Structure formats: structure tokens, C-alpha cells
Amino acid sequence: MRPMPYGLKELFHSCMRKILFLLIIIILSACNRSPEKAGEYHQFMIESQSALMNRVFELSRNLRNMDSTKANQILEETKVLALNTAEEIRQAQPFKKDTTLRHATLQVVEAYAEVINNELGEMAGMVTRGELTDSTGFRKAAKIRLSILHKLIKAEKEFARQEGKFRRTYLAGKDFIEADTTFFGVDTINPAGSEF
């Protein structure tokens, strides 16, 4: 095989250096975007959980002040929110090799959906029947709220554990907002000054 002419050889090496340089730039820019993508993924999971948590606890506290039409309308909207949120999480691609945060988020969303269909559905039925107007109705509603907490706390704990693990693995050294777990304190069951 004949050796490559000197000029052609230099041109070949020059092209190879440029290609190598471009590959390094592409790899570095992909690596630099990794924390940004991890942050977006993390934020999506946190917001999915938080939106449902806020809606469920708001409803459990405020259903007694609504008329039956409003209570059932908001309950139906919350059911749709839960279904749409679960579907969005199912369709979301896991970040890198993470499947645990995605799975934990889906589990907590499904736990909220179950509470919406059962416990909050029962409370909405009590509103429709006018059963939240006396102390017996208040006590029953307080038991339902306690049942909601017991059903959600296991899924919430696992979600918080996986969220922390994801942050330590992919977002080390980044500022973040702690997951809101205040809904799971004793004052949620019977806030000071509350009738239920």
C-alpha cells in the first residue's frame, strides 16, 4: 500500500482533530445539561405530588362548607386531575436510570386517587345528604380525615425517601425546596380551634 502524500496526510489529521474537538464539545454540553434535566424531572415529580396533596387536604377541610352541587363538581374535577396526573407520570421517561422516584410518585398519586374516590366521595355524599350539620356528622368526617391520613402516609413516606435519594444522586449541591410534609402532622387531624 502506497503512503499518503504529505499534504493529504496533514489535511486528514486536521479534519480528524476538528471532528474530535466537535465530539468533545457535544459531550461536554450534554453533561452540562444533565443537572438542568435532572432538576426539571425532579420538579415535575414534586409538583405532580404536591398538586394532588394540596387539593385532597383542601377538600377534606372545606367540603362541609360547600353545597352539594359545588362539592360534587369539585370532587369530579379532582378525580380528573388525579387521572391526568397519573397518565402524565406513566408517559414521562425516567431520568437516566431512575425508575424509583417515578414509581414512588405514581404510587402516591394512585393513593391520592383512591382517597378521592372513596373517602372524599363519602364526604361529598354526606354533604349531599345534609349530614355535616351536627356533631355526629363532624365526628364522622373527622374519622374520615384520619382514615385519609393513614392511607396516604405510607405512600408519602416512600415518595419522600425516593425524592431525597434522587436529590442526593443527581442534584448534589443544588438548592432545592424540601418536600412539604406538613399535612402529615398531628395538627392536620384536629387543628387547634377547628371543629373537625
Side-chain angles (χ1 to χ4, degrees):
M1 187 172 190
R2 288 181 6 200
M4 196 181 292
Y6 179 75
L8 196 55
K9 189 175 183 181
E10 279 301 310
L11 180 64
F12 176 76
H13 286 297
S14 174
C15 287
M16 291 306 290
R17 280 192 297 271
K18 287 178 183 176
I19 291 170
L20 185 59
F21 179 73
L22 283 173
L23 283 173
I24 290 170
I25 295 293
I26 290 168
I27 290 168
L28 287 176
S29 66
C31 289
N32 288 339
R33 287 189 50 82
S34 187
E36 181 182 318
K37 291 283 187 192
E40 290 170 6
Y41 178 82
H42 177 259
Q43 191 65 28
F44 170 70
M45 295 300 169
I46 292 288
E47 287 175 357
S48 298
Q49 175 268 353
S50 184
L52 273 178
M53 179 176 69
N54 289 327
R55 182 72 73 95
V56 165
F57 281 95
E58 181 184 324
L59 272 175
S60 74
R61 288 185 179 119
N62 297 322
L63 271 172
R64 68 179 178 147
N65 299 321
M66 299 177 189
D67 62 34
S68 113
T69 304
K70 185 173 181 182
N72 286 302
Q73 176 189 351
I74 291 177
L75 184 65
E76 287 305 313
E77 289 170 2
T78 306
K79 286 179 183 179
V80 170
L81 175 65
L83 286 171
N84 290 343
T85 302
E87 189 57 33
E88 285 174 10
I89 293 167
R90 280 189 197 96
Q91 290 181 6
Q93 292 298 314
F95 178 77
K96 292 192 175 180
K97 294 182 180 179
D98 171 69
T99 55
T100 54
L101 177 59
R102 182 174 171 267
H103 180 72
T105 308
L106 187 57
Q107 292 298 107
V108 82
V109 165
E110 288 173 351
Y112 278 104
E114 184 180 331
V115 161
I116 292 162
N117 288 321
N118 298 328
E119 281 78 3
L120 290 181
E122 186 178 347
M123 286 179 78
M126 291 173 69
V127 170
T128 301
R129 294 186 299 273
E131 294 175 2
L132 288 179
T133 56
D134 60 15
S135 60
T136 305
F138 289 160
R139 282 193 299 276
K140 187 171 181 184
K143 285 182 182 178
I144 292 171
R145 290 183 68 213
L146 188 58
S147 173
I148 288 171
L149 283 176
H150 288 301
K151 280 192 172 181
L152 296 178
I153 202 156
K154 183 179 178 184
E156 276 294 340
K157 281 183 177 178
E158 180 60 15
F159 172 78
R161 191 171 78 81
Q162 295 303 336
E163 186 269 335
K165 183 179 172 186
F166 184 89
R167 274 190 287 104
R168 288 188 300 278
T169 304
Y170 298 108
L171 297 172
K174 297 288 179 190
D175 291 334
F176 60 88
I177 298 170
E178 287 282 358
D180 186 354
T181 57
T182 58
F183 286 114
F184 293 89
V186 175
D187 64 334
T188 303
I189 299 167
N190 189 16
S194 174
E195 294 171 313
F196 98 123

